[in-house]
Amino acid sequence: MDTQAQIREYNRREFLRFITYSPLISYFGIWGCTGEKRESDLLLSSPSEAKNVFDFDTLARQKLNQDAYNFLSGGADDLKTVQANREAFDELQIRSRRLVNVSNVDTSVELFGQVMATPIMLAPIGFQQLLHPEGELAVARASAAKKHEMIVSTVSSYSVKEINEVRGTPAWFQLYPTPDRKITTQLIRKAEEAGSKVLVLTVDLPVLGNRENHLGFIRQMITAQKIALGNFEGLPFPSQVHDPSLDWQMIEWLRANTNMKLVLKGIVTREDARLSVANGVDGIIVSNHGGRQEESNLGTIECLPEIVNEVAGRIPVLIDGGFRRGTDIFKALALGANAICIGRPYVWGLAAFGQTGVEKVLDILRAELVRIMQLAGTTSRSRINSDFVQRNL
Ligand SMILES: Cc1cc2nc3c(=O)[nH]c(=O)nc-3n(C[C@H](O)[C@H](O)[C@H](O)COP(=O)(O)O)c2cc1C
């Protein structure tokens, strides 16, 4: 180690030692095991008091019972992949341009012929009534009011029909295929009849990940049929919504069974990006299920460049996992993502305040994205390219 490196290492250790023993820690709170939960006395009386999306995590934690909060925040094994999703953003730095007129910023993007006001979408999250009685209906109202695209989960508490009616414009539908394809067909029909135009097949869940802090609770609720599953009304209550036998033949099967656009959610390698294009899918979501499936120790933003490179603009590439700041979104756009999805942040807002909480989370992220676009000297999505990020090793 050279002298400079030794000094840096010494300073780092001293700083950590100071922080560990500092009384400040009890005032400002500590970082929780996922690297994003902050213990504090924070209690907001209205969403407008929130400064950033993390404030809603603190509130969700205070408002929910332990089982529900574990379901929301949990991840696989030791939560290293949950953490990696966040920490990988810190490995990227933003390179800003100066003297650019940024009075007007346009955040719109186009996906599948549809112009969206913002590249920030809502990822599918199941069982939302565990977090708030209005569940997906509150999220539908908020996302429609704020003009964000939303993806409805197969295991939503309310049905895709009810959700789309409340939204006014149809959301995308996420599919977990059951081993019984007759049930899968009926789920697809329900989404089509509800007007959904995009089918998102989740491909990272051949079996459930090892989520030690909440799977027991979810299993209990399902076995006792204490959990509402709106899309399964009139269908046998599912014993499982994953299929270990799923392989690339499923794409052909889906093509034969629906005309919806087909997006694969859960791609993390260039090899599978290549196969996605070869199999004619319409889009990809780079995702590791928010660190809830395999403990890969790999943040999704680290997977993005090889996938964008492989796809070479032939189909849209979306990404989710750990997006909490406008700067995170900016970095993904700079690395070539067409849009990003958020998961936990909007359900923190839901758990904290229902619809208005979700709206405020979306307001914060949109405002943060606009601000970093202006600070970096960019005025539209098309102007944000890889020149705006660097990676220092
Ligand atoms: C509580 C919870 C429930 C989820 N339910 C689903 C689901 O039903 N279907 C699905 O494809 N992904 C599901 N996911 C994964 C999300 O769609 C998304 O990939 C992930 O939350 C993104 O990471 P983030 O939470 O760090 O933003 C869920 C994630 C969480 C946290």
Side-chain angles (χ1 to χ4, degrees):
M1 213 187 275
D2 65 34
T3 320
Q4 282 304 317
Q6 275 171 341
I7 291 171
R8 273 200 306 273
E9 177 60 11
Y10 173 80
N11 286 344
R12 192 180 70 86
R13 288 213 191 121
E14 278 305 289
F15 176 71
L16 287 175
R17 214 160 61 85
F18 165 72
I19 282 292
T20 308
Y21 295 109
S22 167
L24 284 174
I25 210 78
S26 55
Y27 180 73
F28 287 115
I30 55 165
W31 291 95
C33 53
T34 66
E36 56 188 334
K37 287 172 267 168
R38 290 172 185 177
E39 305 273 12
S40 82
D41 296 337
L42 178 86
L43 244 190
L44 309 179
S45 54
S46 109
S48 62
E49 292 167 27
K51 292 192 176 57
N52 53 50
V53 302
F54 297 105
D55 284 348
F56 291 97
D57 182 21
T58 310
L59 269 179
R61 190 180 191 143
Q62 287 165 347
K63 290 201 172 177
L64 293 173
N65 68 42
Q66 192 62 49
D67 283 330
Y69 185 77
N70 286 349
F71 160 67
L72 191 171
S73 62
D77 292 3
D78 303 306
L79 309 186
K80 298 258 173 64
T81 310
V82 175
Q83 233 170 304
N85 277 346
R86 286 293 303 132
E87 288 174 0
F89 286 110
D90 296 338
E91 303 298 315
L92 294 167
Q93 296 90 32
I94 292 173
R95 299 180 70 245
S96 299
R97 297 297 308 276
R98 306 299 184 207
L99 295 173
V100 177
N101 179 347
V102 290
S103 320
N104 295 307
V105 168
D106 173 14
T107 57
S108 67
V109 293
E110 194 185 321
L111 273 185
F112 306 130
Q114 175 198 350
V115 177
M116 310 193 314
T118 167
I120 306 167
M121 298 179 48
L122 283 72
I125 295 229
F127 312 120
Q128 290 184 21
Q129 256 190 345
L130 291 177
L131 308 172
H132 189 278
E134 289 174 25
E136 295 86 2
L137 298 187
V139 173
R141 287 190 197 100
S143 61
K146 300 295 175 179
K147 299 190 170 58
H148 290 250
E149 195 51 78
M150 167 182 179
I151 310 176
V152 175
S153 166
T154 293
V155 289
S156 51
S157 305
Y158 290 92
S159 70
V160 60
K161 180 169 185 283
E162 292 167 298
I163 296 166
N164 283 355
E165 274 169 11
V166 160
R167 256 179 70 85
T169 54
W172 299 11
F173 183 72
Q174 175 265 326
L175 181 69
Y176 281 138
T178 52
D180 181 347
R181 292 286 181 268
K182 281 195 234 95
I183 295 181
T184 305
T185 309
Q186 296 195 48
L187 288 170
I188 295 171
R189 289 290 95 80
K190 287 185 182 209
E192 287 172 342
E193 281 160 20
S196 293
K197 300 278 183 287
V198 182
L199 188 69
V200 177
L201 177 70
T202 297
V203 294
D204 56 16
L205 206 136
V207 296
L208 282 164
N210 181 39
R211 308 178 205 163
E212 292 167 5
N213 72 350
H214 71 268
L215 278 190
F217 163 65
I218 295 291
R219 268 199 206 102
Q220 257 176 17
M221 302 284 282
I222 291 182
T223 312
Q225 304 203 2
K226 279 191 183 158
I227 218 164
L229 287 177
N231 296 318
F232 286 84
E233 213 184 284
L235 300 177
F237 206 82
S239 57
Q240 64 180 54
V241 285
H242 54 89
D243 179 0
S245 75
L246 205 68
D247 61 19
W248 289 96
Q249 288 174 20
M250 185 64 179
I251 309 303
E252 206 181 318
W253 185 89
L254 284 170
R255 286 302 190 201
N257 281 281
T258 181
N259 290 325
M260 293 166 90
K261 293 279 182 201
L262 180 58
V263 172
L264 299 189
K265 173 174 182 281
I267 299 295
V268 285
T269 60
R270 77 170 71 80
E271 293 88 338
D272 284 341
R274 187 178 310 145
L275 282 169
S276 301
V277 174
N279 280 277
V281 306
D282 299 300
I284 284 174
I285 305 181
V286 179
S287 173
N288 56 24
H289 220 102
R292 291 159 85 84
Q293 286 299 101
E294 72 276 8
E295 181 79 300
S296 64
N297 284 6
L298 196 56
T300 52
I301 195 77
E302 297 173 280
C303 308
L304 183 63
E306 67 177 58
I307 291 173
V308 166
N309 195 30
E310 182 66 43
V311 165
R314 286 173 290 177
I315 54 174
V317 176
L318 288 70
I319 179 171
D320 72 24
F323 287 83
R324 307 289 182 262
R325 287 284 188 188
T327 48
D328 303 334
I329 300 166
F330 183 87
K331 288 172 185 176
L333 297 179
L335 291 176
N338 295 78
I340 70 99
C341 306
I342 52 164
R344 293 179 185 86
Y346 81 84
V347 282
W348 292 336
L350 174 69
F353 290 107
Q355 178 184 344
T356 53
V358 180
E359 288 182 4
K360 182 65 181 175
V361 165
L362 298 175
D363 285 345
I364 289 173
L365 288 175
R366 277 198 324 279
E368 287 188 4
L369 175 60
V370 167
R371 183 177 296 120
I372 185 58
M373 284 175 72
Q374 290 174 307
L375 290 173
T378 52
T379 50
S380 68
R381 163 69 192 91
S382 60
R383 290 180 186 275
I384 307 172
N385 58 36
S386 58
D387 291 341
F388 288 88
V389 279
Q390 65 176 32
R391 185 187 296 273
N392 277 352
L393 294 176

